[in-house]
Amino acid sequence: MTEVLDQVLPVAVFLVAITVTAEVAQLAGVFDVAAHALARRARHRVVVLWLLFALLAVGCTIVLSLDTTAVLLTPVGLAVARQTGVAPMPFALTTLWIANTGSLLLPVSNLTNLLAVHRFEDLGAGHGDYVRTAALPAVTAIAATLVLVAVLQRRALRGTYAVDPPPEPHDRVLLVVGAAVCLAIGPLFAVGLEPAVVALASATVLLLAALWRAPSLVREVRPPWLMAGAFVLVSALLRLAQGEGLLDWVGSLVGTGTGPLALLHLSGASALTANAINNLPAYLVVEPAAADDVRRLVATLVGVNAGALVTPWASLATLLWLQRCRSAGLQVPLLRLAGWGLLCAVVCVTAATLVIR
């Protein structure tokens, strides 16, 4: 049990702290100002606006995690689309898919990655080794995702728009502090500092700044205590089941080896498991059969991250994204979304797995 807590508790702390960081940054206006600045710099061309927004989504996912993109960037993208009079679906689809397929590069981009880092350390590798191994698959998955969105939404991405939407007024000092913190934590994560420590420090700085400049905003912050507690509980139960040998049969499903076909088998099985139950428990179930090599661990992450696009429950980010879309009045056709998601999952998982080195 001690080993389970050593692996899971820092991840739970990171989840709470990075959510607080993202929410205070959003309340400070960081995402709002960034998105509207993109709209002004796109020179009224819809496709340029979408590309700039996609880059913002990629950066947000890599540095602040996929759930941040789903929760905070989705409404910003929909608002910008509404205010400029362009179709909202390309922006909505980009935030959903990039939130999942773009969450491979850094350990902090996805909770599954943070779990995997502990296995990297068991193999004598560290954060730098993780980034080096995951970099090419991550870039490949992101590129494949954007190409698919551009093809599927090509009609909506044509033309121009006439309106340059102004951002809402914000406290300038709090806005600058929020932007500075968001820009700083990415490099801090990348150089290998403990993610939970960096996230706690960033959350503390932003909460103190908010208490100083706009105390009323602090009451609007909602740390995900229930989600973190459920994560710890499920992780502990799965580890206990593995300790009792109840999940030994999983190894026969994901295969062995580090050749291209073996890794593709592993990532495909991981993606199927994620869509069946959810990507976090899917990773915990598959991990013991993949923990003998860093390439197999990355292939597992490709499957549970980039492949979790078909069922709504495959990723918490998808459920959060659906909630935000409905709150904004965007009706999402679930069957069509599942079909698009299957196409994206197959393309991204295959492409990203084949470039693992």
Side-chain angles (χ1 to χ4, degrees):
M1 181 61 72
T2 302
E3 180 184 353
V4 174
L5 293 178
D6 286 343
Q7 182 183 20
V8 171
L9 280 181
V11 179
V13 170
F14 168 80
L15 171 63
V16 173
I18 202 64
T19 300
V20 170
T21 298
E23 288 202 5
V24 177
Q26 189 267 341
L27 292 169
V30 173
F31 299 113
D32 175 58
V33 170
H36 287 84
L38 297 182
R40 292 192 298 273
R41 285 167 173 73
R43 298 185 180 278
H44 296 194
R45 297 180 62 188
V46 176
V47 68
V48 177
L49 173 60
W50 169 72
L51 283 171
L52 292 174
F53 180 79
L55 290 176
L56 178 61
V58 169
C60 181
T61 300
I62 291 172
V63 175
L64 293 174
S65 85
L66 75 167
D67 295 328
T68 297
T69 299
V71 173
L72 302 181
L73 210 55
T74 299
V76 172
L78 295 177
V80 169
R82 182 179 65 253
Q83 293 169 10
T84 55
V86 305
M89 187 53 72
F91 298 87
L93 199 60
T94 298
T95 51
L96 172 63
W97 284 2
I98 286 296
N100 289 283
T101 64
S103 62
L104 286 166
L105 183 59
L106 295 182
V108 298
S109 306
N110 198 317
L111 296 184
T112 56
N113 304 352
L114 285 174
L115 292 171
V117 166
H118 291 271
R119 293 302 182 189
F120 268 70
E121 293 170 352
D122 292 341
L123 294 170
H127 284 226
D129 299 292
Y130 172 92
V131 174
R132 281 190 292 273
T133 309
L136 188 55
V139 172
T140 301
I142 290 169
T145 300
L146 296 181
V147 169
L148 281 173
V149 175
V151 171
L152 292 172
Q153 299 293 313
R154 58 190 180 279
R155 293 182 180 177
L157 293 175
R158 296 171 182 165
T160 60
Y161 58 92
V163 179
D164 282 332
E168 297 293 328
H170 301 287
D171 181 277
R172 185 170 182 81
V173 173
L174 186 57
L175 175 63
V176 170
V177 173
V181 168
C182 289
L183 290 173
I185 59 179
L188 294 177
F189 286 142
V191 298
L193 295 182
E194 179 61 39
V197 174
V198 175
L200 275 174
S202 64
T204 300
V205 169
L206 287 182
L207 283 173
L208 289 175
L211 284 171
W212 170 42
R213 299 295 300 184
S216 61
L217 291 182
V218 178
R219 291 193 293 270
E220 299 181 39
V221 178
R222 298 290 184 267
W225 303 117
L226 181 60
M227 186 191 309
F231 169 70
V232 173
L233 178 60
V234 170
S235 300
L237 291 175
L238 284 171
R239 290 301 188 213
L240 289 174
Q242 289 165 347
E244 296 295 326
L246 299 178
L247 299 175
D248 291 347
W249 55 272
V250 174
S252 63
L253 296 181
V254 301
T256 59
T258 57
L261 291 181
L263 293 179
L264 194 57
H265 177 192
L266 173 58
S267 61
S270 301
L272 287 173
T273 307
N275 282 287
I277 57 175
N278 180 263
N279 63 343
L280 274 173
Y283 173 79
L284 291 171
V285 168
V286 175
E287 182 196 66
D292 58 333
D293 189 276
V294 294
R295 291 164 293 182
R296 287 181 60 78
L297 284 171
V298 171
T300 302
L301 292 175
V302 168
V304 299
N305 292 1
L309 295 173
V310 184
T311 59
W313 57 83
S315 168
L316 175 63
T318 302
L319 294 174
L320 296 170
W321 175 85
L322 283 169
Q323 180 187 50
R324 295 292 176 166
C325 287
R326 287 169 179 166
S327 298
L330 178 63
Q331 297 301 315
V332 179
L334 291 181
L335 286 178
R336 183 182 300 175
L337 184 68
W340 287 344
L342 177 60
L343 174 63
C344 186
V346 170
V347 171
C348 289
V349 168
T350 302
T353 302
L354 291 178
V355 298
I356 294 175
R357 298 289 184 270

